[in-house]
Amino acid sequence: MPRPPRADRSTRVTIADVAARAGVSLSTVSRALNGNPTVDPALAERVKAAADALDYTASPVARSLVLGRTQTVAVIVPDLGNPTFQAILRGLSHAAAADDYHVLVADSAESVEEERVLAGTTRRRTDGVILCAPRLPQDELDRLVGGLRPVVLINRTSGEVPSVGADYRTALSTELAHLHELGHRRIVFLAGAPGSVANTARLDAIAAFVAEHPDTEVAEIPCGVDFEAGAAAGTAVRASGATAAVAFNDLVAMGLLSAVQADGCRVPDDLSIVGFDDIPFARYTTPPLTTAAVPATELGAQAWARMRELLEGAEPGHPLTVLPELTIRGTTGRART
Amino acid sequence: MPRPPRADRSTRVTIADVAARAGVSLSTVSRALNGNPTVDPALAERVKAAADALDYTASPVARSLVLGRTQTVAVIVPDLGNPTFQAILRGLSHAAAADDYHVLVADSAESVEEERVLAGTTRRRTDGVILCAPRLPQDELDRLVGGLRPVVLINRTSGEVPSVGADYRTALSTELAHLHELGHRRIVFLAGAPGSVANTARLDAIAAFVAEHPDTEVAEIPCGVDFEAGAAAGTAVRASGATAAVAFNDLVAMGLLSAVQADGCRVPDDLSIVGFDDIPFARYTTPPLTTAAVPATELGAQAWARMRELLEGAEPGHPLTVLPELTIRGTTGRART
DNA sequence: CTGTTAGCGCGTTCAA
DNA sequence: TTGAACGCGCTAACAG
């Protein structure tokens, strides 16, 4: 892209204009407008009058340079199309706005390389960066965050870096227990990205559960993380003979639900399905989806709260881990016998 | 929020450090690093070597101040929770990133006042603002955009301001024609926000359609723009005796679909439903939703393209209007007789 | 081709 | 309490 022409600033009103109009020095204007108490009340009034007569507001860029503070934070997400990340961004955005901070968003497109680059470049034009479910391997993540501080991590941890996240492991155990209670003994798990932190946590939960419940079999089916993947897994799920399916997330669950129903399979009579996340649409499927509710919006707000503490120089709070709540709706029922 | 402490910049490497290490002046470093051809190749090499030995990158904030350019644009959306705006943001974000621009997002929370304020404050720290479906009344919008340029409008227009949007009117007519062709003569329209531009466009289309089809009745039911509103309208829709419902958008359609089905109503046998937007979930409802597909991601990309032209000082292209495509899926069928 | 100088628009010492 | 002067980090105009 060709370099755009230099901006025309000739028409912009600066602090000098206000100073001239109020008949004071630049410093006095600066002090008056920033509420510095050492300025004569009457003068301050005159300055403010001049300022809004001229519709003046200090240049954020100039202030950023001198203050070393931009009033902006960066948020890096792996995919802006993912409902969970959208919810996190929304919660974060609202919370930051309430504290008069701005939010720079960047989508890493699930690319580890992009993630690394974006973290660096956005950090330089903001006061801190919030990494949302970064895909970086642990060692690289550990290395990266060092040069990025202040940093807040969502759904990942790294040393003493403040973080917020959901306890996937326990939540998945709860889902399995729910299925077990309904009599399901042959279950399939539609796996997400192999090797990813989120998938590994779920696999751990499954291994632990199976160890404690020898009567139950949980088979893993490589799948994916979106609708299409879930729908595509329909055939394999039915062929498995399982009476229940645990999807990596709600997207997969919905894709599966859609596919098996189109195939004449009744849910939950023939097959029970559980999702994960409780995205906004989960309650509106037919039947409504049983899932583990991750308070994504709240996580976003909490992530901002951590960042804010860091920015204020306060002690970073302990890592926050929320436990997704099992939300039983219509896609789970007693196992067919 | 208390003012954060002044940032510690003592450890940051500046252009002076690079200059010292390379044994040249600051200007030479600047020139070399910016690819200015008037610098001796050998020297340029030495400078670059020094730069990355020091891991130096010019401060974006300082550059912004001197260049009067931030390489950032602001996007204001009414609601980050709306799938359509999410898609627009995604398309915009990707397109801008491809041109090495950053995106500042702000959610106006459907507030006209917030919209006005955010537009102004974000504009000052960016090179331009993109207003996504602004809720401002036309006269206020006209007034606002004047002091904001460069500006790009999505789903609204104002004088000569570049804009992109969808032709709601024609698309809704097409939906009505589809229903009419299936034999529907009693139709209800689940209206969105009264007085909003989007709702008015749909109402216009309905009025025109009814005028041309005296045999058809289209009753308006005040509703809303989300799931809950659609679900809540279920009773009224069924009581109306209509054989088909046109929802303001897909969210409403899905809420309605869910509600009437829970009530034992068969779709499309007892009731046909059409949505609007074709959000990602529309194809996964049961049955899949018939709707008018708005290429939201593409609109976002096009909005960026317009902004980019403006930034480059090029002629702003003509307003772009895309025609949402009728996407017939499973929620529409012949009218029951 | 390179170095010196002057800002970009502000906040903030330091004197007065 | 106020103003003059300096500097944030960088690019660009102007000499040399």
Coordinates of all heavy atoms in Angstrom, one line a residue, chain A residues 76 112-121 123 129 131 134 136-149 151 153 158 161:
Chain A
I76 N -5.6 -9.7 21.6 CA -5.3 -10.6 20.5 C -6.2 -11.9 20.6 O -6.1 -12.6 21.6 CB -3.8 -11.0 20.5 CG1 -2.9 -9.9 20.8 CG2 -3.5 -11.7 19.2 CD1 -2.3 -9.2 19.7
V112 N 0.2 -19.2 14.9 CA 1.1 -19.0 16.0 C 2.1 -17.8 15.7 O 2.4 -17.0 16.5 CB 1.9 -20.3 16.3 CG1 3.1 -20.0 17.1 CG2 1.0 -21.3 16.9
E113 N 2.4 -17.8 14.4 CA 3.4 -16.7 14.0 C 2.7 -15.4 14.1 O 3.3 -14.4 14.6 CB 3.8 -17.0 12.5 CG 4.7 -16.0 11.9 CD 6.0 -15.8 12.8 OE1 6.3 -16.6 13.6 OE2 6.6 -14.7 12.6
E114 N 1.5 -15.3 13.6 CA 0.8 -14.0 13.6 C 0.6 -13.6 15.1 O 0.7 -12.4 15.4 CB -0.6 -14.2 13.0 CG -0.7 -14.0 11.5 CD -0.4 -12.6 11.1 OE1 -1.3 -11.8 11.2 OE2 0.7 -12.4 10.7
E115 N 0.4 -14.5 15.9 CA 0.2 -14.2 17.3 C 1.4 -13.5 17.9 O 1.3 -12.5 18.6 CB -0.1 -15.6 18.0 CG -0.8 -15.5 19.3 CD -1.3 -16.9 19.6 OE1 -0.6 -17.7 20.2 OE2 -2.5 -17.2 19.3
R116 N 2.5 -14.1 17.6 CA 3.8 -13.6 18.1 C 4.0 -12.2 17.6 O 4.3 -11.2 18.3 CB 4.9 -14.5 17.6 CG 6.1 -14.5 18.5 CD 7.2 -15.4 18.0 NE 6.8 -16.2 16.9 CZ 6.8 -17.6 16.9 NH1 7.3 -18.2 18.0 NH2 6.4 -18.3 15.9
V117 N 3.8 -12.0 16.3 CA 4.1 -10.7 15.7 C 3.1 -9.6 16.2 O 3.5 -8.5 16.6 CB 4.0 -10.8 14.1 CG1 4.0 -9.4 13.5 CG2 5.1 -11.7 13.6
L118 N 1.8 -10.0 16.1 CA 0.8 -9.0 16.6 C 1.0 -8.6 18.0 O 0.8 -7.4 18.4 CB -0.6 -9.7 16.4 CG -1.1 -9.8 15.0 CD1 -2.4 -10.5 15.0 CD2 -1.3 -8.4 14.4
A119 N 1.4 -9.6 18.9 CA 1.6 -9.2 20.3 C 2.6 -8.1 20.4 O 2.4 -7.1 21.1 CB 2.1 -10.5 21.0
G120 N 3.7 -8.3 19.6 CA 4.8 -7.3 19.7 C 4.4 -5.9 19.1 O 4.6 -4.9 19.7
T121 N 3.8 -5.9 17.9 CA 3.5 -4.7 17.2 C 2.4 -3.9 18.0 O 2.4 -2.7 18.1 CB 3.1 -4.9 15.8 OG1 1.9 -5.6 15.7 CG2 4.2 -5.6 15.0
R123 N 1.6 -4.2 21.1 CA 2.1 -3.7 22.4 C 2.7 -2.4 22.4 O 2.6 -1.6 23.3 CB 3.1 -4.8 23.0 CG 3.8 -4.4 24.2 CD 2.8 -4.2 25.4 NE 3.4 -3.7 26.6 CZ 3.6 -2.4 26.9 NH1 3.2 -1.5 26.1 NH2 4.1 -2.1 28.0
V129 N -1.0 -5.8 26.7 CA -1.8 -6.6 25.8 C -2.4 -7.8 26.5 O -1.9 -8.4 27.5 CB -0.9 -7.1 24.6 CG1 0.6 -6.8 24.9 CG2 -1.1 -8.6 24.3
L131 N -3.7 -11.5 25.9 CA -3.7 -12.6 25.0 C -4.8 -13.5 25.3 O -4.9 -14.2 26.3 CB -2.3 -13.3 25.1 CG -1.2 -13.1 24.2 CD1 -1.3 -11.7 23.6 CD2 0.1 -13.3 24.9
P134 N -4.1 -17.9 23.7 CA -3.0 -18.0 22.7 C -2.6 -19.4 22.3 O -2.7 -20.3 23.1 CB -1.8 -17.3 23.4 CG -2.1 -17.4 24.9 CD -3.6 -17.3 24.9
L136 N 0.3 -20.3 21.1 CA 1.7 -20.6 21.2 C 2.1 -21.7 22.2 O 1.4 -21.9 23.2 CB 2.4 -19.3 21.8 CG 2.6 -18.1 20.8 CD1 3.1 -16.9 21.6 CD2 3.7 -18.5 19.8
P137 N 3.1 -22.5 21.8 CA 3.6 -23.5 22.7 C 4.0 -22.9 24.0 O 4.4 -21.7 24.0 CB 4.7 -24.1 22.0 CG 4.5 -23.8 20.5 CD 3.8 -22.5 20.5
Q138 N 3.9 -23.6 25.1 CA 4.2 -23.1 26.4 C 5.6 -22.3 26.5 O 5.7 -21.2 27.0 CB 4.2 -24.2 27.5 CG 4.1 -23.6 28.9 CD 2.9 -22.7 29.1 OE1 1.8 -23.1 28.7 NE2 3.1 -21.5 29.7
D139 N 6.6 -23.0 26.0 CA 7.9 -22.3 26.1 C 8.0 -21.0 25.4 O 8.6 -20.0 25.8 CB 9.1 -23.3 25.7 CG 8.8 -23.8 24.3 OD1 7.7 -23.8 23.8 OD2 9.8 -24.2 23.6
E140 N 7.4 -21.0 24.2 CA 7.4 -19.7 23.4 C 6.6 -18.7 24.1 O 6.9 -17.5 24.1 CB 6.9 -20.0 22.0 CG 7.9 -20.9 21.2 CD 7.4 -20.9 19.7 OE1 7.2 -19.8 19.2 OE2 7.4 -22.0 19.2
L141 N 5.5 -19.1 24.7 CA 4.6 -18.2 25.4 C 5.4 -17.6 26.6 O 5.4 -16.4 26.8 CB 3.4 -18.9 25.9 CG 2.3 -18.1 26.6 CD1 1.8 -17.0 25.7 CD2 1.2 -18.9 27.1
D142 N 6.0 -18.4 27.3 CA 6.8 -18.0 28.5 C 7.8 -16.9 28.0 O 8.0 -15.9 28.7 CB 7.5 -19.1 29.1 CG 6.6 -20.2 29.7 OD1 5.4 -19.8 30.0 OD2 7.0 -21.3 30.0
R143 N 8.4 -17.2 26.9 CA 9.5 -16.3 26.4 C 8.8 -14.9 26.0 O 9.3 -13.9 26.3 CB 10.2 -16.9 25.3 CG 11.7 -16.6 25.2 CD 12.4 -17.4 24.2 NE 12.2 -18.9 24.4 CZ 11.8 -19.7 23.4 NH1 11.6 -19.3 22.2 NH2 11.6 -21.0 23.7
L144 N 7.7 -15.1 25.3 CA 7.1 -13.9 24.7 C 6.6 -12.9 25.8 O 6.8 -11.7 25.7 CB 5.9 -14.3 23.8 CG 5.1 -13.1 23.2 CD1 6.0 -12.4 22.1 CD2 3.8 -13.6 22.5
V145 N 5.8 -13.4 26.7 CA 5.2 -12.5 27.7 C 6.2 -11.7 28.5 O 5.9 -10.6 28.9 CB 4.3 -13.3 28.7 CG1 3.2 -14.0 28.0 CG2 5.2 -14.4 29.5
G146 N 7.4 -12.2 28.6 CA 8.5 -11.4 29.3 C 8.6 -10.0 28.7 O 8.7 -9.1 29.5
G147 N 8.7 -10.0 27.4 CA 9.0 -8.7 26.8 C 7.7 -7.9 26.5 O 7.7 -6.8 25.8
L148 N 6.6 -8.4 27.0 CA 5.3 -7.8 26.7 C 4.7 -7.0 27.8 O 3.7 -6.3 27.6 CB 4.4 -8.9 26.2 CG 3.8 -8.8 24.8 CD1 4.9 -8.4 23.8 CD2 3.2 -10.2 24.4
R149 N 5.1 -7.3 29.0 CA 4.4 -6.8 30.2 C 4.1 -5.3 30.1 O 5.0 -4.5 29.6 CB 5.2 -7.1 31.4 CG 5.0 -8.6 31.8 CD 5.9 -8.9 33.0 NE 7.4 -8.7 32.7 CZ 8.3 -9.1 33.5 NH1 8.1 -9.7 34.6 NH2 9.6 -8.9 33.1
V151 N 1.0 -7.8 30.8 CA 0.2 -8.8 30.0 C -0.8 -9.5 30.9 O -0.5 -9.8 32.0 CB 1.1 -9.9 29.4 CG1 0.4 -10.8 28.5 CG2 2.3 -9.4 28.8
L153 N -3.3 -13.0 30.6 CA -3.6 -14.2 29.8 C -5.0 -14.7 30.0 O -5.5 -14.7 31.1 CB -2.6 -15.3 30.2 CG -1.4 -15.7 29.3 CD1 -1.0 -14.6 28.3 CD2 -0.2 -16.1 30.1
S158 N 1.3 -18.6 32.6 CA 2.7 -18.5 32.3 C 3.3 -17.8 33.5 O 3.2 -16.6 33.7 CB 3.0 -17.7 31.0 OG 4.4 -17.5 30.9
V161 N 2.4 -14.4 35.5 CA 1.5 -13.5 34.7 C 0.0 -13.7 35.1 O -0.5 -14.8 35.2 CB 1.6 -13.9 33.2 CG1 0.6 -13.0 32.4 CG2 3.1 -13.6 32.7

